[in-house]
Amino acid sequence: PSDAEFNETSLSKVWICTSGNLNLSDPSILKSSTNDRNLIFKPYALLPGTDFVFSVRVRPFTAGSNSVWGEASVTISTNSLPSLGVCSSTPSSGTALVTSFRLACHGWTDKDLPLTYKFEIATSSHTLAEAKFAESLVTNDNRNSSINGARQRELPIYLSVCDFRRMEFYDTVLSENPYGASSVIIRALVADSLGANSPFLFEARVDPLPPARLTTAKEIMESRFQEGDMQNYAVFAG
């Protein structure tokens, strides 16, 4: 049957996942019903790097139980996330506002090139283990705005150190942890050319600047501002 022969309301429709790798009855998957004309997915409902085949079967409501269904299928391939890499800081420890840390990523792969890299610093009181757990909550909840208030409070707050760029590393000074912890948590985001990104969390030990060197730090901050280096100026000012 076709829309030319029947009104929309006279047609019985049902969507199925004929590839068998998605349960359309799961309430976290669809915004629509499997009996609607359009199959509408919730954000991030489809696993990355996966091929899905969906079929719609249609026949008139007035057709008998033995009548033949009309059927059409569509294949959807989702983008995979960058994978297999690691990120770290060199050196792994240093002094706040003095030591130059190289934040770098290595070994990341994806078919959609080029890859770009962004680094951020946590400005909350989480330990690395807590931050990784909070990141897993975001991932498992599909990075979707339905995360409840309690879980929102569990998420670290990140300050951008640099925007996405093609260089795999970024050299910067770091400020000490404002909550008194000995380490600063760093999140790298590795993105492919289609915008899919993978987070990688690591840490660097940052010792407080000795009081005798505070004047030097102020001079460095003023120098960064005069040079227009707003990224490092923001680290100092923060």
Side-chain angles (χ1 to χ4, degrees):
S2 68
D3 285 346
E5 300 172 32
F6 300 99
N7 294 325
E8 177 71 20
T9 55
S10 70
L11 296 175
S12 174
K13 301 173 289 293
V14 60
W15 285 93
I16 60 174
C17 178
T18 47
S19 55
N21 52 356
L22 190 68
N23 179 11
L24 295 183
S25 63
D26 184 336
S28 68
I29 299 298
L30 293 179
K31 280 186 163 183
S32 60
S33 164
T34 53
N35 301 120
D36 289 343
R37 178 173 182 172
N38 297 313
L39 196 62
I40 304 174
F41 297 94
K42 291 183 178 180
Y44 306 99
L46 303 181
L47 291 175
T50 307
D51 294 329
F52 300 91
V53 181
F54 301 102
S55 299
V56 60
R57 295 175 180 175
V58 183
R59 71 179 178 184
F61 280 116
T62 56
S65 59
N66 294 325
S67 62
V68 177
W69 290 83
E71 183 172 331
S73 298
V74 61
T75 299
I76 297 176
S77 299
T78 56
N79 185 23
S80 59
L81 300 174
S83 61
L84 303 180
V86 296
C87 303
S88 61
S89 169
T90 305
S92 59
S93 63
T95 302
L97 310 180
V98 174
T99 303
S100 178
F101 292 89
R102 172 160 291 192
L103 314 179
C105 295
H106 308 281
W108 291 87
T109 63
D110 192 278
K111 64 180 181 179
D112 299 306
L113 302 174
L115 297 180
T116 54
Y117 305 84
K118 178 179 182 177
F119 297 97
E120 302 173 323
I121 299 173
T123 60
S124 49
S125 59
H126 294 71
T127 65
L128 181 60
E130 291 169 342
K132 286 183 175 180
F133 178 70
E135 191 72 38
S136 73
L137 292 181
V138 178
T139 302
N140 293 334
D141 281 333
N142 301 325
R143 296 185 181 275
N144 138 359
S145 59
S146 66
I147 298 175
N148 62 39
R151 287 195 171 179
Q152 287 284 7
R153 289 190 292 273
E154 294 173 2
L155 304 179
I157 299 170
Y158 289 96
L159 171 69
S160 177
V161 175
C162 67
D163 291 327
F164 281 105
R165 44 192 259 148
R166 293 180 65 171
M167 293 185 68
E168 297 178 336
F169 65 88
Y170 189 76
D171 294 330
T172 183
V173 294
L174 298 173
S175 58
E176 63 184 284
N177 189 308
Y179 293 89
S182 60
S183 296
V184 171
I185 297 169
I186 302 156
R187 180 171 71 173
L189 296 174
V190 183
D192 67 16
S193 61
L194 299 180
N197 67 76
S198 297
F200 190 97
L201 274 63
F202 57 104
E203 63 185 350
R205 179 184 176 90
V206 182
D207 298 322
L209 186 68
R213 302 191 67 174
L214 289 177
T215 300
T216 301
K218 182 179 179 181
E219 292 172 351
I220 296 174
M221 182 176 70
E222 291 174 348
S223 174
R224 294 288 189 270
F225 181 81
Q226 293 171 0
E227 294 170 0
D229 184 357
M230 293 299 103
Q231 292 283 1
N232 275 320
Y233 176 78
V235 173
F236 276 85

